[in-house]
Amino acid sequence: MKLDSAVLKQLSEEFGEAFYLLDSAQFKQNYLELKQAFSNLYPKFNIAYSYKTNYIPKLCRIVDGLGGCAEVVSEMELDLALRIGVRPENIIWNGPVKEAGRLEAFLLSGGNVNLDSLEEAEAVKAVAGKHEGTAFKIGLRCSFDIRDGGASRFGFDTEGEDWKKVLVLIQETPNLSLQGLQCHFAKRQMAYWPARVQGMLDLVERTGILPERIDLGGGLFGKMEDSLKEQFDSPIPSYAEYAEASAGVLARQFEGKEKKPELFIEPGSALAGDCMKFAGTVKTIKKMRGKWIAAVLGSQKNISMAGVNPPLRVYAMGGRQKAYEGLDFAGYTCIESDILYRNYRGPLACGDMAVFGNCGSYSLVMKPPFILPNFPVVDIAGEKPELVKRGETFDDVFHTFCF
């Protein structure tokens, strides 16, 4: 469905004055392109989609239908994956906190768990002791120095005592074996990806254990318009560049060897970032001490991005437009810092729709129920719009409160 003023008018009449626009076809295309870029260099490769980035069930089903896995970090996301039919063996459970009962049930179902702490390792050891006739494979989350100016808090410090203890614990538990090594680093720049791979290979050499799976986690930039790319301090890598920096290294490392680990990554933004837009109606335009401000039915939390201007297009909806210079689009939340876009230059009128691009990462899942419930999500990938999430209501927000 091609987006224009007429389409937006139709959508607003049906779904209200603000809504998310989903392009599920773009999401699928991103998945296929990313999978191909890595598989070209290292065929033993798969993707575990980061549910926390954008857990619209339709997107999660697309990944499952294409043979990908679910990467979850909570019981809620685990329930979502199971609800939509993902098999436990295709779910990877990360995260720093896992409820003991759910952890046991998930392990018994054949699910994949990456342990984050010694306490979790002790809990798994207890499960193994209760079910001595069952073999359990687990993974370890690893934290090491990639010289990014910080330290990941997730997993085991591979230079610390807990790392040594967890390896001993696994060795001393007969029905427990190490299936995989996983790491996660937040920095998305290309400069840190070779260090991720080398750090994992160094662990393999140090431990003498070649796991079935090496999981490099998430932290990839996705596709974006040039106007957004220009606001970052470093170049935005392509899928192929990320693949060369990781899959290419593993391909060379294991060339000619009979036993090769399966390579996983856990992308979120790289798949979902450009597949959603947010459309909000301009409600007021006023001048405050020389600064033009347009209030939009929407919030910075609806677009997630802060500190950069997202791709923006204004659609005329019939009002009398005026030309503006240096206008800010502000949100409805009555928070001074709620700015969606700064220094807009162009025509605008009350009633126009401002459509913000690249809103697929963390926007929907991190929007708090502050002042207003969240808005509907409409998939416009096909010839007709498809509602994939209705707008939230007062009762959705307040039904857990005791009146």
Side-chain angles (χ1 to χ4, degrees):
M1 177 178 290
K2 184 178 179 181
L3 202 61
D4 56 25
S5 297
V7 168
L8 287 169
K9 184 175 186 298
Q10 173 193 343
L11 293 175
S12 63
E13 289 174 351
E14 186 171 357
F15 302 112
E17 293 185 301
F19 38 82
Y20 296 95
L21 297 164
L22 174 67
D23 187 345
S24 61
Q26 183 62 51
F27 179 87
K28 181 177 181 179
Q29 183 63 32
N30 290 347
Y31 178 96
L32 293 172
E33 289 182 18
L34 182 60
K35 179 74 180 290
Q36 191 64 54
F38 277 74
S39 298
N40 283 343
L41 301 178
Y42 195 82
K44 200 173 183 180
F45 168 76
N46 207 349
I47 289 173
Y49 173 58
S50 168
Y51 273 34
K52 65 181 177 291
T53 306
N54 189 325
Y55 49 54
I56 292 175
K58 183 169 185 176
L59 302 184
C60 300
R61 281 198 178 97
I62 288 173
V63 172
D64 187 54
L66 293 172
C69 293
E71 188 265 332
V72 304
V73 296
S74 67
E75 285 82 6
M76 182 185 79
E77 293 176 3
L78 174 59
D79 286 338
L80 171 60
L82 295 172
R83 173 73 67 88
I84 65 175
V86 182
R87 297 186 300 277
E89 60 267 28
N90 289 338
I91 302 173
I92 298 174
W93 190 358
N94 291 319
V97 178
K98 304 176 183 74
E99 194 275 322
R102 292 301 306 276
L103 180 60
E104 179 176 0
F106 185 61
L107 284 169
L108 288 169
S109 72
N112 302 283
V113 173
N114 287 327
L115 302 181
D116 195 82
S117 66
L118 198 57
E119 288 80 5
E120 282 189 356
E122 294 287 355
V124 169
K125 181 179 180 180
V127 172
K130 287 173 60 178
H131 306 276
E132 294 182 353
T134 303
F136 297 98
K137 295 181 179 181
I138 51 91
L140 296 178
R141 305 190 79 189
C142 310
S143 179
F144 45 84
D145 185 13
I146 62 168
R147 299 184 180 181
D148 61 351
S152 173
R153 70 179 178 90
F154 298 111
F156 293 85
D157 178 356
T158 57
E159 300 296 331
E161 289 301 313
D162 283 359
W163 173 253
K164 298 175 184 177
K165 291 178 181 178
V166 76
L167 291 179
V168 171
L169 182 149
I170 294 170
Q171 292 168 357
E172 292 180 345
T173 308
N175 56 333
L176 202 57
S177 61
L178 181 59
Q179 176 191 45
L181 298 174
Q182 189 264 5
C183 64
H184 173 79
F185 298 96
K187 295 289 180 70
R188 303 175 188 273
Q189 289 82 356
M190 177 59 63
Y192 306 115
W193 271 72
R196 290 191 193 197
V197 181
Q198 192 57 53
M200 298 297 262
L201 292 176
D202 289 346
L203 285 178
V204 170
E205 183 175 351
R206 279 170 49 192
T207 61
I209 301 171
L210 180 61
E212 296 176 20
R213 176 181 298 162
I214 290 179
D215 187 336
L216 299 178
L220 300 83
F221 284 111
K223 299 174 184 175
M224 60 184 75
E225 295 183 21
D226 290 342
S227 64
L228 185 54
K229 288 182 180 180
E230 292 165 359
Q231 298 175 67
F232 289 90
D233 294 332
S234 60
I236 304 301
S238 66
Y239 293 163
E241 288 171 318
Y242 279 123
E244 176 55 39
S246 51
V249 174
L250 285 186
R252 291 186 287 273
Q253 176 72 23
F254 293 101
E255 185 177 6
K257 296 182 179 179
E258 183 177 343
K259 188 177 180 181
K260 300 178 182 181
E262 186 174 19
L263 172 63
F264 269 78
I265 59 172
E266 300 167 354
S269 299
L271 298 180
D274 71 331
C275 78
M276 266 180 63
K277 296 179 171 67
F278 177 73
T281 300
V282 177
K283 303 300 292 183
T284 67
I285 303 173
K286 62 182 179 180
K287 196 172 189 179
M288 299 293 289
R289 292 180 297 280
K291 180 71 172 178
W292 285 104
I293 299 173
V296 179
L297 186 59
S299 166
Q300 183 271 331
K301 297 299 183 183
N302 289 112
I303 66 171
S304 178
M305 286 172 280
V308 296
N309 279 340
L312 168 66
R313 182 170 177 183
V314 172
Y315 289 82
M317 302 300 287
R320 186 174 180 181
Q321 291 184 323
K322 290 174 55 178
Y324 291 92
E325 187 90 26
L327 177 144
D328 288 355
F329 285 89
Y332 62 77
T333 60
C334 298
I335 295 175
E336 291 284 3
S337 61
D338 188 4
I339 305 296
L340 291 83
Y341 191 99
R342 296 182 185 277
N343 297 317
Y344 167 76
R345 179 183 180 183
L348 189 68
C350 284
D352 285 352
M353 295 210 78
V355 178
F356 304 88
N358 278 90
C359 297
S361 299
Y362 296 102
S363 55
L364 180 71
V365 297
M366 294 190 74
K367 163 65 176 68
F370 181 64
I371 297 183
L372 283 180
N374 209 357
F375 301 113
V377 181
V378 184
D379 190 359
I380 57 171
E383 294 182 2
K384 295 181 178 180
E386 177 192 358
L387 182 67
V388 296
K389 183 183 186 300
R390 65 167 174 79
E392 294 173 2
T393 67
F394 175 91
D395 287 337
D396 291 326
V397 176
F398 285 98
H399 77 278
T400 58
F401 287 86
C402 300
F403 283 86

